[in-house]
Amino acid sequence: MPQKKNRVAIVGAGPAGMSCASALANHPDRFDVTLFDIASYTGGQATSISLDEARYGAEWLNDGVQGGSPIFRHTFNFFHRYGYEARPVKLQVAFGKGVESFFTNVFPSPLVDELSDEIRKLGRVLKWIKRLLPILGIMPVKTIMKLFRFSEDFANKMVIPIMALFLGTGNQTPNVSAALLERLFDDPNMRLWEYDPDTLLPNRPTMYTFPNLGAFYRDWAADLASKGVHLRLNTAVELLQRDKHGITLRPRPTEDSPTAQAVGEACAVDDFCEKYDELILSLPADEAKALLGKHATWRERFVLGGVAFYNDITITHSDSAYFTSIFETRYKPDLSSKAKASSATRQEQIAFAERQPPIATEDGWEGFAPMYFTHSFARAPRCIEMGFDCSNYQHQFRDSVGEGGVSLEAERHVYQTIYLNDQQKHLWTWESVDPAKIIAKKWWRQFGHRWQHYLRVVPGMMFINGRNRTTYAGAWTMVNMHEIACISGLAAAYRLGAAYEPFDDFAEDLFAKYLLVSHGVRYKRRQ
């Protein structure tokens, strides 16, 4: 007699939900998988938009998730399965605007010289945070800055912008756990730079830009469908029952059409509702809590309620005059350090930056061509705006000019300016963007890595995961990375009995660590 299949409902078709469905689909004899999403596409925030190739030099742009570090092994593995590859790029960043607040990882600046004593002091503090991680690590960054008597300039101009940009913590960075500051420089799984007592950011690290995410997720979804996964887009779900007998859901099409209305009316009858054995919630924590409603346990309400979300908007545009007015986009002699310019290394760095216009290479640009930017507000120095020069960062733009080619004119670049936390929109400069040069606007809901997140949410996940026929997945379970989202989906599938397929020792170790922290389960390695 054939074994009864477990009916699994996955709600949320972002990278976490897709990864989970992918692992379960490898066991068609054991799992019958249905993947729901309220959107009309898969991928969550990993989306792409079309561009005018004649004007911008590329026909597509990743406008949400853009890239990651070399540790994104599971992400890259999924890309490779479907014929896509991430591309390396030597990262250049530009923090601040004007001589008094600018610094970069490309060449020395006056600010680095001015704050050199505090940069060296930070190295000692990072060691103390590591030694006393359970105590100092849980403290918010703003408390650590005061406790060790760092200046406001050092905290606001260097530490907070670095963390905000690379951890995606935005304007909640002062409230972020200090453990993330230590991990940013010391953890081989997270760091981009090893701490440098001279410049803080010593080099141009290798990052990876993602392939066309819209096309990739469409191919991935098509493959899952061919393996028997029931993909239900444009569909919201309501939880009617969750007990020892199973899960009862009421799906509702989201389109305002006669068909959707008819299905909505029919769902009032139990025959049109659906029974499942297991529920995977790969949704933002607050949406998962809302879906559970009265069915949530006190533990679920406590853990899920500890995740704070904020509304940000990204404006994709080609307004180079506006972008240059708030960020340092080109090399200027007064931005480079004079005090230490005599050293051979410093002279070499400045000579590199002076090569204008930048020349395309296989993995970046020769010449100062920053890709990530921040600037702070004079009246709120711990609040920032973030930006990307996508034409400098994403590889398809370099491909258009070819290796050795000259960067396109600034007016043909595609920029993104990210305005953080709509509760502080009175600070935003978005009204200065030329409306005629706006390509797209998108609102995002981002979770803040507040210190409470690492005191309440991350350690609490193991007490709600896999209980009450419900498992959780998503980057919010730990840290905001596409890679963590993928790992969380694979871990959810593993908890249901799907195999984890090892392909890389580093990736397998990262999976095992996530599984232990988020699920309280030890990974059993294959012999």
Side-chain angles (χ1 to χ4, degrees):
M1 185 174 180
Q3 180 183 359
K4 178 182 177 293
K5 293 184 182 181
N6 266 354
R7 296 197 69 200
V8 181
I10 304 173
V11 184
M18 294 287 283
S19 299
C20 182
S22 183
L24 294 173
N26 291 331
H27 306 276
D29 57 325
R30 296 169 55 197
F31 301 105
D32 185 352
V33 182
T34 301
L35 179 58
F36 297 95
D37 202 289
I38 198 169
S40 60
Y41 53 87
T42 58
Q45 293 187 8
T47 57
S48 304
I49 59 174
S50 298
L51 295 177
D52 179 349
E53 185 175 11
R55 180 174 180 181
Y56 301 116
E59 62 181 2
W60 59 272
L61 173 83
N62 289 329
D63 66 330
V65 180
Q66 299 197 43
S69 73
I71 73 162
F72 281 39
R73 306 292 178 82
H74 295 88
T75 298
F76 299 159
N77 188 49
F78 280 123
F79 288 162
H80 187 69
R81 286 187 193 180
Y82 298 100
Y84 294 85
E85 299 295 339
R87 296 270 296 278
V89 60
K90 293 293 186 182
L91 186 64
Q92 299 190 32
V93 294
F95 297 99
K97 177 68 177 176
V99 175
E100 70 286 347
S101 62
F102 169 81
F103 75 104
T104 176
N105 67 319
V106 181
F107 59 89
S109 71
L111 183 68
V112 169
D113 293 339
E114 178 187 339
L115 300 175
S116 59
D117 289 343
E118 294 192 82
I119 291 174
R120 287 191 289 272
K121 179 180 175 180
L122 180 65
R124 298 192 294 272
V125 171
L126 291 175
K127 291 178 181 178
W128 277 110
I129 295 174
K130 186 174 183 178
R131 289 171 187 152
L132 302 175
L133 201 60
I135 301 171
L136 296 181
I138 206 67
M139 292 182 180
V141 169
K142 62 184 180 184
T143 301
I144 291 293
M145 292 291 104
K146 287 184 178 180
L147 181 65
F148 288 94
R149 296 187 173 184
F150 286 103
S151 68
E152 290 288 312
D153 274 355
F154 183 69
N156 297 342
K157 294 179 180 180
M158 300 195 90
V159 173
I160 288 174
I162 288 172
M163 294 186 67
L165 194 62
F166 294 110
L167 296 176
T169 51
N171 285 348
Q172 287 301 307
T173 303
N175 301 316
V176 167
S177 165
L180 282 185
L181 174 62
E182 190 272 333
R183 299 288 85 185
L184 183 63
F185 287 101
D186 289 340
D187 186 350
N189 294 335
M190 287 181 61
R191 71 186 179 203
L192 285 178
W193 291 277
E194 291 188 26
Y195 164 77
D196 181 71
D198 184 22
T199 63
L200 188 57
L201 309 181
N203 60 357
R204 293 176 294 121
T206 298
M207 290 279 283
Y208 285 83
T209 59
F210 289 171
N212 186 323
L213 290 174
F216 162 70
Y217 271 99
R218 284 192 294 273
D219 289 351
W220 194 0
D223 182 55
L224 292 182
S226 73
K227 293 179 177 178
V229 174
H230 311 290
L231 197 58
R232 307 267 289 276
L233 302 178
N234 292 309
T235 305
V237 296
E238 178 185 356
L239 178 62
L240 299 181
Q241 185 177 353
R242 183 180 66 155
D243 55 29
K244 64 181 181 179
H245 302 294
I247 305 289
T248 304
L249 299 179
R250 175 183 289 157
R252 291 185 180 275
T254 58
E255 292 137 333
D256 186 14
S257 66
T259 302
Q261 293 171 7
V263 172
E265 293 170 1
C267 274
V269 181
D270 286 346
D271 289 347
F272 286 84
C273 298
E274 301 176 1
K275 302 279 189 179
Y276 294 91
D277 300 300
E278 297 287 343
L279 179 63
I280 307 291
L281 293 180
S282 55
L283 295 167
D286 57 344
E287 293 181 21
K289 183 182 175 185
L291 189 149
L292 291 174
K294 65 181 181 181
H295 304 283
T297 65
W298 71 267
R299 286 190 179 90
E300 288 171 324
R301 288 194 296 270
F302 177 77
V303 174
L304 300 177
V307 187
F309 288 86
Y310 302 89
N311 298 320
D312 306 337
I313 185 172
T314 297
I315 297 181
T316 305
H317 61 91
S318 59
D319 191 345
S320 60
Y322 164 76
F323 201 79
T324 301
S325 74
I326 61 173
F327 301 122
E328 295 292 356
T329 62
R330 292 291 180 266
Y331 176 79
K332 302 171 188 173
D334 62 341
L335 294 178
S336 64
S337 168
K338 303 299 185 291
K340 298 183 179 180
S342 58
S343 77
T345 301
R346 297 300 180 95
Q347 287 179 346
E348 183 179 336
Q349 291 172 330
I350 292 172
F352 173 90
E354 287 176 333
R355 295 170 192 160
Q356 298 295 320
I359 304 298
T361 66
E362 183 180 0
D363 58 359
W365 299 90
E366 287 286 332
F368 185 53
M371 302 153 187
Y372 287 17
F373 303 80
T374 69
H375 88 94
S376 301
F377 301 98
R379 53 183 169 149
R382 292 194 171 182
C383 295
I384 66 171
E385 282 179 352
M386 292 168 47
F388 294 94
D389 185 331
C390 301
S391 297
N392 283 345
Y393 183 45
Q394 296 188 29
H395 61 266
Q396 68 272 26
F397 296 97
R398 292 199 310 278
D399 291 346
S400 70
V401 300
E403 192 170 348
V406 176
S407 174
L408 297 175
E409 303 87 349
E411 294 75 18
R412 295 181 62 193
H413 278 219
V414 178
Y415 306 99
Q416 286 190 325
T417 313
I418 305 172
Y419 306 93
L420 303 168
N421 189 358
D422 62 353
Q423 298 171 13
Q424 297 166 329
K425 65 168 60 175
H426 61 283
L427 297 171
W428 294 356
T429 61
W430 60 341
E431 292 180 352
S432 299
V433 182
D434 184 349
K437 296 182 179 180
I438 292 177
I439 299 169
K441 289 183 180 181
K442 282 191 180 179
W443 284 93
W444 310 99
R445 293 177 63 255
Q446 302 286 3
F447 80 92
H449 303 65
R450 308 175 305 163
W451 64 271
Q452 296 96 325
H453 191 85
Y454 295 93
L455 185 65
R456 175 176 170 181
V457 179
V458 174
M461 289 307 303
M462 69 171 67
F463 299 105
I464 64 172
N465 258 326
R467 300 174 185 243
N468 302 299
R469 297 180 176 267
T470 306
T471 310
Y472 298 88
W476 60 267
T477 59
M478 190 166 287
V479 65
N480 191 21
M481 294 180 180
H482 189 278
E483 177 70 359
I484 294 298
C486 290
I487 292 173
S488 72
L490 295 172
Y494 184 87
R495 284 300 303 275
L496 297 189
Y500 172 79
E501 298 183 344
F503 60 93
D504 175 283
D505 289 343
F506 180 88
E508 189 175 18
D509 185 58
L510 201 56
F511 173 82
K513 288 177 179 176
Y514 176 90
L515 187 68
L516 182 61
V517 171
S518 196
H519 291 263
V521 171
R522 290 192 178 277
Y523 168 64
K524 296 180 180 178
R525 297 178 185 271
R526 294 182 183 180
Q527 297 299 320

